[in-house]
Amino acid sequence: MGINAKLAKSVKSEYAVLLVLLLMCIVIATTTRQFAEMQNIFNIIRRTATTGIIALGMTFVIATGGIDLSVGGQVNLISCIGAMILAKKQDVVVVVLAMLIIGIFIGMLNGLMISYLHLTPFMVTLAMMNITTGLAFFWTTGKTLFDIPEKFGFLGIGTIGSIPIAAAIFIVLSIIAIFIFNKFAFGRRVLAVGGNSQGAWYAGINVKSTILMSYIISGLCSAIASVLLMSRLMSASPSMGSGMEMDAIAAVVVGGNSLAGGNGFIVGAVAGALIMEVITNWMNLVSVDPFLRNVIKGIIILVALIVDMLRRGKQTNS
Amino acid sequence: MAAKIEKLELSHVYKSFDNINALTDIGFVLNKGHVCGLLGENGAGKSTLMKILNGVLQPDKGEIRLNGEPIRFSSPSKAKELGIEMVYQELNMLPNLSVMENIYISQLHNNRAGYIRWKALRLETIEWIEKLKVDLDPDIHVGKLKVAHQQIVAIIRALATNCSLLILDEPTSALTAKDTQTLLDLLRRLKELDYIIIFISHKLDEVLQISDEVVVIRNGEKVGMFPTCELSQNQLAELIAGRKLEKKFPKVKYPIGDVILDVQNVTVPGLLEDISFTLCKGKILGFSGLLGSGKTEVAKLLFGVFGGNYSGKIYLNSKLYKPANPKKAVKAGIGLIPENRAKEGLITSQNVFTNIIIASLSLFSTIGIIRGKNSNETADSFIKSLHIKCNDQSSLIRSLSGGNQQKVVLAKWLAARSQIIIFDEPTRGIDVGAKVEVYNLMNDLVEKGVGVILMSSENDEIYHMSDNICILKNGRVTAMVSAEDITLEKMDSLM
């Protein structure tokens, strides 16, 4: 294929989101001096890691045709519980493990109610968002917890060589997620359930356990993100995760995954998370009016949806 | 409102997509009060031609004339304005609205304030019901009607927009014999009322019954336009396929093996009553009966769709088998090629590869990871052996024709090494040539020792392809005989 044809093909494919990200970075780097500075880039990467990891889990849930609005609340609850345990028992490993288990547990509750009780994902996870955030506020009495030992900061702020650990963890998890969707039988089952859950059932797939697993993965990812966030900020507050569910969903959709399910495009979700974070960073650097920031974020999401719709329109037969 | 169409003329119509010729030099004339059958294999160009008449596509070359005047359908709404309407296979009804609302949905009478004039709506609906001599209640929710009646509503909906040329796409594929006759009677009424009707179907006997002439299309070209009085079904089938068709039903007899499936006194509350039958290797077991007689229910029961909600015993290879869910059925080695292919047989948003291995993931994975080479090669080998027409295994299911999609469903069970495959209405909506392919595939399965159960509402299909026939009526078995011991007429009487 000639270079023009190749370019045209990649623009029309789902990988176009990477081109968008690249273009965006180039434009911003040339117009805003501080963007390309090492410290700034590292900050972007660290921040993207937390929403990005949640977006990875969210990709699984959305791929099965569901949604998980509780991830932000999970971050609130899990980090506050983690901080409270850390204040009593200074063992980092134990605390991290406990946080992961709580995430898995909350994900399991979501998944059981959705797949076995047949309740709608939107409502179940909305309720769970309220419950988790509420519990976080209740147990911390609304206060931010700062009693976090130095050594905990390693994961969020530390680096291996010149790469932030948070980024390394994010990259490794992303690669695992890509592998799962492409090479694992579980990945096929997720895509089948999201594409046509009845057809998947008729093919002998255990639809309920597949959906359950996707929410457990989302919970686990929320827990990992909590660890990194708490480690980076060296504090835990009952509202620090609020809103992350929207950012994660935006990242997954901007990346080209259909909300209706059936797509497991991890690269897109990662690119989507980066796009959202780069835009936020730029708005910071050029001091965009704080009240306009959400407006701009919202417009980006709409543009991404329209572009994705146009791209899909070209692929499906009419 | 445009004048009534009394004559439709196509001359030298050409259409191609990306250098592939879809239609070449198509021309014919239709007059009012005529029913014309449009026949051709899947992919011959019938839907392209209809889309041109509909205004969805524009011809590259050629002329269309209505009542002698050349017309350009710039858009679907222009075609509707001129009086051309189409009733699709998928009907697209609004089940939660009433018959009259469905009929007039696109033109709900309203005065300037936007209110609906219900009285006028009901009166006009009743006018149509009486004019066409059909049996419908204007207020009943369409969702509560059986398919045959929903179809009549769809037809009236088309007629109510001042239409004079009606195109029907596979109208009888989901109808019982009785309902088909009701529909054909309606079409005869429309003939009397001087409508022009184009009837697209694979059911040659019905086409011959109702049409005045037929247009046969093959590979985008017109084979010819023939008055139906001069043709027999066999001649028609050969014209469509373009070759002398070997036996319509390639039945082969194989040596009889052991009993693989033994169903004893099975009852599914409300659906099946005291059903018993056995399946042996080497013999095809056919289930016959009207729509709703229980054929699909037997298939679903064996496949675990009803869960534990049944009484009676089922033995698979002499071992007790409890079909609790499809997963268990698949594990036990049973595969189902369902009636509703899109919803139950395939994941249409995925590609051919995924759909072929989706029921046998554990066979193709080690510790949860799919063995790429092994699975890809298997998928390729099935694409080859079943002659599945697609670009390659990464093609989306959506891009395949109905017949090829059906083959993917079969490939799925072959990949899962099923020992019994149930075919539920496998040749519905599939053209004559492709049907023979399906029958040959069934023969291959029997030869390899796979148990084959066939459910069909086409009696001659059951009669010719089965070794043993089970006739169902209202969920009960009315006959369980060998094909040699019964005739088509007797089958009809027992249904």
Side-chain angles (χ1 to χ4, degrees), chain A residues 182-186 188-189 191-192 195-196 198-206 262 316-318, chain B residues 300 303 305 326-327 330 336 342-344 346-347 349-350 354 358-359 361 365 368-370 398 413:
Chain A
N182 288 336
K183 297 282 180 208
F184 275 65
F186 173 67
R188 289 296 107 182
R189 289 197 282 266
L191 294 175
N196 177 0
Q198 195 175 17
W201 188 64
Y202 270 85
I205 291 177
N206 189 336
T316 51
N317 308 327
S318 47
Chain B
K300 289 192 169 171
F303 201 61
V305 174
K327 186 166 179 177
V330 173
L336 171 64
K343 273 214 216 133
E344 296 163 4
L346 293 165
I347 316 285
S349 57
Q350 287 295 327
T354 301
I358 199 64
L361 287 171
S365 336
I369 305 179
I370 302 175
R398 259 185 243 125
W413 300 120

Side-chain angles (χ1 to χ4, degrees), chain A residues 217-233:
Chain A
I217 291 175
S218 182
L220 178 60
C221 287
S222 307
I224 298 173
S226 306
V227 168
L228 291 179
L229 188 58
M230 194 164 95
S231 165
R232 192 178 87 226
L233 298 179

Side-chain angles (χ1 to χ4, degrees), chain B residues 100 109 116-127:
Chain B
M100 69 182 173
H109 295 47
I116 299 173
R117 285 161 41 216
W118 292 110
K119 249 167 116 177
L121 223 65
R122 181 173 283 109
L123 277 172
E124 291 193 27
T125 306
I126 293 179
E127 256 184 63

Side-chain angles (χ1 to χ4, degrees), chain B residues 339-355:
Chain B
E339 203 182 358
N340 193 338
R341 187 166 53 227
K343 273 214 216 133
E344 296 163 4
L346 293 165
I347 316 285
T348 44
S349 57
Q350 287 295 327
N351 55 26
V352 171
F353 170 71
T354 301
N355 276 276

Side-chain angles (χ1 to χ4, degrees), chain B residues 5-9 63-71:
Chain B
I5 302 176
E6 312 217 321
K7 185 166 163 187
L8 167 74
E9 250 180 284
E63 209 173 51
I64 302 177
R65 272 198 270 252
L66 292 179
N67 298 340
E69 297 252 351
I71 288 286

Side-chain angles (χ1 to χ4, degrees), chain A residues 74-86 91-107 148 152 155 216 218-231 235-236 240:
Chain A
Q74 291 189 41
V75 169
N76 290 338
L77 183 61
I78 295 172
S79 32
C80 287
I81 295 182
M84 290 191 291
I85 304 179
L86 259 182
D91 191 333
V92 172
V93 176
V94 165
V95 168
V96 169
L97 270 165
M99 289 169 80
L100 296 183
I101 290 175
I102 297 173
I104 292 175
F105 180 66
I106 299 176
I148 311 242
F152 196 79
L155 292 166
I216 291 177
S218 182
L220 178 60
C221 287
S222 307
I224 298 173
S226 306
V227 168
L228 291 179
L229 188 58
M230 194 164 95
S231 165
S235 64
M240 73 192 211

Side-chain angles (χ1 to χ4, degrees), chain A residues 8-293:
Chain A
K9 192 169 184 215
S10 56
V11 166
K12 289 208 192 108
S13 83
E14 58 247 4
Y15 287 90
V17 67
L18 288 174
L19 280 172
V20 169
L21 175 63
L22 188 64
L23 265 156
M24 222 172 59
C25 291
I26 292 176
V27 169
I28 295 180
T30 45
T31 57
T32 318
R33 228 176 355 104
Q34 303 104 298
F35 181 77
E37 276 167 30
M38 237 26 223
Q39 193 53 41
N40 190 45
I41 300 280
F42 275 5
N43 277 337
I44 293 178
I45 291 177
R46 282 196 188 94
R47 265 189 237 114
T48 309
T50 29
T51 17
I53 290 175
I54 297 182
L56 291 179
M58 186 70 76
T59 307
F60 280 91
V61 167
I62 290 180
T64 61
I67 193 90
D68 191 350
L69 296 175
S70 69
V71 290
Q74 291 189 41
V75 169
N76 290 338
L77 183 61
I78 295 172
S79 32
C80 287
I81 295 182
M84 290 191 291
I85 304 179
L86 259 182
K88 305 265 171 62
K89 196 175 167 56
Q90 308 268 312
D91 191 333
V92 172
V93 176
V94 165
V95 168
V96 169
L97 270 165
M99 289 169 80
L100 296 183
I101 290 175
I102 297 173
I104 292 175
F105 180 66
I106 299 176
M108 194 178 72
L109 285 178
N110 279 334
L112 286 173
M113 284 191 281
I114 290 167
S115 59
Y116 288 86
L117 293 184
H118 304 291
L119 302 175
T120 26
F122 186 94
M123 296 313 291
V124 167
T125 57
L126 180 67
M128 191 58 85
M129 173 176 92
N130 283 319
I131 293 173
T132 45
T133 306
L135 281 175
F137 270 97
F138 183 62
W139 282 329
T140 60
T141 60
K143 289 190 253 197
T144 308
L145 306 167
F146 291 101
D147 199 2
I148 311 242
E150 276 294 323
K151 51 187 169 165
F152 196 79
F154 177 62
L155 292 166
I157 312 179
T159 56
I160 299 182
S162 50
I163 306 173
I165 295 207
I169 296 179
F170 180 36
I171 292 174
V172 167
L173 289 177
S174 302
I175 294 178
I176 293 176
I178 294 175
F179 248 96
I180 294 179
F181 272 113
N182 288 336
K183 297 282 180 208
F184 275 65
F186 173 67
R188 289 296 107 182
R189 289 197 282 266
V190 166
L191 294 175
V193 168
N196 177 0
S197 63
Q198 195 175 17
W201 188 64
Y202 270 85
I205 291 177
N206 189 336
V207 174
K208 291 195 169 90
S209 71
T210 306
I211 292 179
L212 171 60
M213 201 58 203
S214 71
Y215 285 96
I216 291 177
I217 291 175
S218 182
L220 178 60
C221 287
S222 307
I224 298 173
S226 306
V227 168
L228 291 179
L229 188 58
M230 194 164 95
S231 165
R232 192 178 87 226
L233 298 179
M234 289 303 282
S235 64
S237 90
S239 64
M240 73 192 211
S242 295
M244 291 185 93
E245 66 280 343
M246 291 308 167
D247 288 336
I249 294 170
V252 171
V253 173
V254 165
N257 291 293
S258 165
L259 261 183
N263 295 133
F265 190 41
I266 294 287
V267 170
V270 169
L274 280 166
I275 288 176
M276 301 305 289
E277 199 52 58
V278 163
I279 290 285
T280 309
N281 178 260
W282 170 74
M283 290 196 287
N284 246 346
L285 292 178
V286 299
S287 302
V288 169
D289 187 330
F291 295 121
L292 273 181
R293 293 190 193 185

